[in-house]
Amino acid sequence: MSNDTIRIMIISTIPDMIAEHHYFIKHVFPDLKEICKDYDVNLEYVDLIFSMSKVELSQCRSIRKYFESIDMNRTFFFCFRGQKLGCAPTYRDVDKLTLDKYPELVDYIGDISFTELMIMHALNPFEKHGECGYECLPPVKHSMFYFRDEKFLNNLTDSQKELYISNGDDEDVFVRDLKLAMAKDFVFSNKLEFDQKDDNTHINIRKYEGIWDESLNLKDFLCQYVHEYAELNDVSYDDLMDLVSELNLYDPQGSFADFKCENKDLKDIIIEDFVNELKFELSK
């Protein structure tokens, strides 16, 4: 590896994946960090929402911040996907500096969701322009995708579906479902391509499920997640919650818990995937 620090973040839609974010930081990350110590590697977890100021959020710099974070270390990439496509940024949501740095974005603004843009930049990167011209970036070396099973949909009320499926009141359901299928197919197609090339670029894809629990709600998970993140990064819980308030997240009753994958705890599968990729990376 080029350095002894791995910096990971989770790409997902929000707020439907808050329970997964909490699960990762509470139950998965501590074990991953200890495992990395055995390999003399330091593991960091960053949530870019909490690394941005209110000014950056208000001035639409989030796409650039996420792209730049992926570019800092194109080694490991985590993504959790459910049945929500996510909202597509418009030109009002992207500043000129971002378009100057990644001009190919022009072809996708208004049509591709924020989450899909991050996935595209990880697997099939946009050209990066700077003072010395443009740079063709390589794909992220080790990508781990976890797709949530859709069986839970039948258990949701209409209000819950607004959070876990819908992207807005005026959306076309057929178009939404088609775009979601195409988004997932993009990941599988890239995996097939990388596997055929055998060029040391790996995409791991798993399908997992969670038990729906009406006694839970996302607000509790969000507060717990922020508390864990504040302790992990030695920052102020109150300041982070202040940033969260800017996102206007809402929380219907009910949430997922007890995540499973292939008859195992999802935690064990994620750790297994990560360790396999870490060993491969360190062996080169």
Side-chain angles (χ1 to χ4, degrees):
M1 293 180 64
S2 58
N3 56 58
D4 59 358
T5 297
I6 296 173
R7 187 171 182 259
I8 61 174
M9 60 180 174
I10 296 176
I11 298 297
S12 73
T13 49
I14 291 292
D16 59 310
M17 286 288 175
I18 287 175
E20 279 84 346
H21 281 245
H22 173 260
Y23 180 83
F24 185 90
I25 198 172
K26 177 71 174 178
H27 300 290
V28 181
F29 182 78
D31 284 2
L32 293 184
K33 192 171 181 67
E34 288 301 313
I35 290 170
C36 282
K37 285 182 180 178
D38 293 337
Y39 291 92
D40 294 322
V41 172
N42 181 46
L43 185 64
E44 297 179 353
Y45 172 64
V46 60
D47 188 319
L48 286 185
I49 290 177
F50 297 145
S51 70
M52 281 186 271
S53 66
K54 290 184 179 180
V55 172
E56 287 175 319
L57 285 172
S58 66
Q59 293 184 356
C60 311
R61 302 182 202 172
S62 57
I63 289 179
R64 177 156 40 100
K65 291 276 285 192
Y66 272 84
F67 274 21
E68 289 173 346
S69 184
I70 295 171
D71 293 344
M72 283 177 63
N73 187 348
R74 290 189 152 269
T75 308
F76 288 88
F77 181 83
F78 282 82
C79 181
F80 286 85
R81 293 309 313 269
Q83 286 65 44
K84 191 179 185 72
L85 188 63
C87 296
T90 67
Y91 282 104
R92 294 190 302 273
D93 302 318
V94 187
D95 67 346
K96 183 178 183 301
L97 288 177
T98 300
L99 292 176
D100 288 343
K101 194 166 189 176
Y102 303 97
E104 291 177 321
L105 270 174
V106 171
D107 297 330
Y108 300 96
I109 298 301
D111 187 54
I112 303 296
S113 74
F114 179 90
T115 303
E116 298 314 315
L117 289 174
M118 301 306 116
I119 294 172
M120 291 173 65
H121 191 56
L123 303 185
N124 193 0
F126 294 99
E127 286 184 356
K128 185 177 183 179
H129 288 228
E131 295 179 357
C132 300
Y134 71 89
E135 181 181 4
C136 292
L137 302 167
V140 170
K141 295 179 185 177
H142 311 284
S143 301
M144 281 152 275
F145 287 85
Y146 301 94
F147 293 146
R148 187 165 61 199
D149 195 289
E150 64 275 4
K151 289 186 294 186
F152 78 95
L153 296 178
N154 294 331
N155 298 325
L156 301 188
T157 64
D158 289 343
S159 62
Q160 290 163 343
K161 288 179 180 179
E162 286 296 311
L163 188 148
Y164 286 95
I165 305 175
S166 177
N167 296 305
D169 294 335
D170 59 348
E171 72 175 344
D172 185 301
V173 175
F174 175 79
V175 172
R176 178 200 68 202
D177 292 346
L178 178 61
K179 285 186 175 182
L180 184 60
M182 292 174 63
K184 292 183 178 181
D185 184 63
F186 175 81
V187 177
F188 282 98
S189 297
N190 275 271
K191 174 176 172 54
L192 179 62
E193 180 181 343
F194 294 155
D195 288 348
Q196 290 175 339
K197 287 182 178 179
D198 193 26
D199 63 352
N200 300 326
T201 302
H202 298 169
I203 297 179
N204 296 278
I205 302 174
R206 304 277 197 170
K207 193 171 187 178
Y208 72 96
E209 58 187 30
I211 294 177
W212 182 258
D213 190 336
E214 284 289 342
S215 68
L216 303 175
N217 67 62
L218 290 184
K219 185 175 181 181
D220 290 339
F221 276 130
L222 177 59
C223 293
Q224 293 170 28
Y225 172 74
V226 173
H227 180 267
E228 294 285 342
Y229 190 85
E231 285 198 341
L232 179 65
N233 291 278
D234 194 23
V235 293
S236 166
Y237 171 83
D238 291 335
D239 288 347
L240 295 187
M241 287 304 294
D242 193 32
L243 277 175
V244 168
S245 67
E246 297 290 313
L247 302 177
N248 297 318
L249 304 181
Y250 60 103
D251 57 303
Q253 191 68 20
S255 184
F256 291 101
D258 194 21
F259 297 108
K260 300 290 184 182
C261 177
E262 300 174 7
N263 297 318
K264 298 180 181 179
D265 288 341
L266 178 59
K267 165 188 172 179
D268 296 333
I269 295 294
I270 296 175
I271 291 173
E272 177 185 324
D273 290 343
F274 180 82
V275 170
N276 287 339
E277 294 303 319
L278 178 63
K279 288 180 178 178
F280 185 84
E281 181 66 21
L282 294 175
S283 69
K284 292 186 295 182

